[in-house]
Amino acid sequence: MNVMQIIQQIHEQYPNLTKSEKKVADYILSSGEKIVYNTMNDVKQATRVGDATIIRFCQKLGFSGFSDLKIEIAKEDFSKQKVSHKGHQFFDDVAENLKHAIDQTSELVDAAAIEDVVTRLHEAANIYIFGVGSSGQSAEDFEKMLLRVGIHAKAITDPHFQAQIASSLGQEDLVIAFSLTGRTKDTFESVAIAKENQVPVVVVTNYLLSPIARKADVILQTAIEEQLLNGGSLAGKISQLYVCDVLVSGYEMKYHIDALGMREKVARSIMDKLLDQ
């Protein structure tokens, strides 16, 4: 079943829907393919109906629930993207996608927010970077990037350990959380614990009004809207790493870090690890 078939089916079922179910139908029809980025709570808030109404509506269309409906729509969107690439050099498409990730994220850079985070990086007693899945990999990469400017941070990608760390931190520390959607449950819970302890929080995310972003003292916005069936994409990761590199470069400039000297030390420390010198 494709998106057009779903839309047609909604129109066909519309006369048989209850008043509340029609609110859900209207919202989905107006949202189109963007509905795949919505949660049940988003639909509930927009339509003022309950969970049961949304589920009944989906079942009348032949789906087990809202997630099942979203996956079917995402499948069609994903297939269309693959078809649109036919006839082109696929490696050109990949390159263009990654360039787009950097360009779009660059347009969202907030100089004041970057300056704020750079200062927090300098002043924090301890820095912990939270993320899970692909965002966890970005957290680990950022930890290594910060070493280039002499900052010792720790990436924590295990949700249980994140919670333990968050509960032990205080106002003098700093948490940086990565989540493209801003809705990652594990990351949200860890950030919430940190905020309960009055820990300053920086969030790197696509969505300024997402649950994790609402916990932030500072938000650094990324730009790549990941498809439901394309989670952990390289473009999303590139968007996050671009923000990381901007922070590292900003720190170097503001605090006059001898980047060349530090890189020389690193190079000398790993020379003995090479087979041929």
Side-chain angles (χ1 to χ4, degrees):
M1 183 181 294
N2 59 41
V3 177
M4 290 305 298
Q5 287 176 314
I6 294 173
I7 291 173
Q8 181 180 352
Q9 192 167 351
I10 291 174
H11 285 301
E12 289 175 353
Q13 288 286 342
Y14 201 85
N16 302 322
L17 300 177
T18 66
K19 183 178 179 180
S20 295
E21 290 167 354
K22 286 178 179 177
K23 292 180 180 179
V24 180
D26 292 339
Y27 181 73
I28 291 177
L29 289 171
S30 65
S31 299
E33 293 172 353
K34 293 290 184 182
I35 195 66
V36 299
Y37 302 109
N38 281 211
T39 64
M40 285 272 285
N41 280 333
D42 292 331
V43 179
K44 283 164 58 179
Q45 291 177 11
T47 60
R48 305 293 182 184
V49 304
D51 289 351
T53 299
I54 299 171
I55 293 171
R56 281 198 308 270
F57 166 79
C58 294
Q59 289 174 341
K60 285 185 178 180
L61 295 182
F63 301 101
S64 61
F66 186 57
S67 295
D68 195 24
L69 171 63
K70 290 201 300 179
I71 288 173
E72 192 62 38
I73 294 173
K75 283 165 60 179
E76 172 65 12
D77 191 32
F78 185 78
S79 297
K80 284 197 303 184
Q81 289 184 39
K82 291 298 183 183
V83 170
S84 68
H85 289 169
K86 289 183 178 179
H88 298 80
Q89 296 285 14
F90 72 91
F91 41 82
D92 288 338
D93 291 330
V94 172
E96 190 60 35
N97 194 31
L98 297 182
K99 291 174 187 175
H100 179 71
I102 294 175
D103 291 341
Q104 290 294 101
T105 308
S106 175
E107 291 179 7
L108 296 175
V109 169
D110 182 331
I114 293 293
E115 175 79 11
D116 188 349
V117 176
V118 164
T119 301
R120 291 174 187 272
L121 287 170
H122 185 69
E123 296 178 350
N126 299 287
I127 302 169
Y128 287 92
I129 313 168
F130 293 170
V132 298
S134 177
S135 289
Q137 295 173 359
S138 294
E140 291 173 339
D141 288 338
F142 191 35
E143 174 190 329
K144 298 177 180 67
M145 294 166 70
L146 288 172
L147 278 175
R148 291 179 358 207
V149 290
I151 296 176
H152 294 267
K154 183 61 180 175
I156 308 295
T157 60
D158 179 272
H160 296 285
F161 195 26
Q162 283 180 8
Q164 293 175 31
I165 290 292
S167 66
S168 68
L169 301 179
Q171 297 179 15
E172 71 282 3
D173 301 311
L174 179 67
V175 164
I176 301 173
F178 286 85
S179 174
L180 285 174
T181 64
R183 297 179 181 276
T184 310
K185 186 175 184 291
D186 289 328
T187 306
F188 174 80
E189 291 173 348
S190 299
V191 167
I193 293 170
K195 291 309 298 178
E196 288 174 3
N197 289 288
Q198 299 182 312
V199 182
V201 172
V202 174
V203 172
V204 183
T205 184
N206 281 0
Y207 303 105
L208 301 180
L209 299 178
S210 61
I212 296 176
R214 291 193 185 106
K215 295 288 184 183
D217 294 280
V218 188
I219 303 172
L220 301 178
Q221 192 174 11
T222 48
I224 299 306
E225 195 171 68
E226 288 197 315
Q227 299 296 322
L228 187 62
L229 300 183
N230 199 27
S233 70
L234 181 57
K237 187 176 176 65
I238 288 293
S239 184
Q240 291 174 327
L241 293 182
Y242 170 80
V243 171
C244 294
D245 210 31
V246 167
L247 288 172
V248 170
S249 298
Y251 190 92
E252 281 182 340
M253 290 185 288
K254 181 170 183 175
Y255 295 104
H256 309 291
I257 303 300
D258 181 9
L260 181 60
M262 295 197 70
R263 282 167 173 73
E264 181 182 352
K265 287 182 181 179
V266 172
R268 290 185 181 280
S269 72
I270 64 173
M271 285 292 288
D272 291 339
K273 305 292 186 183
L274 301 177
L275 292 174
D276 297 307
Q277 301 180 29

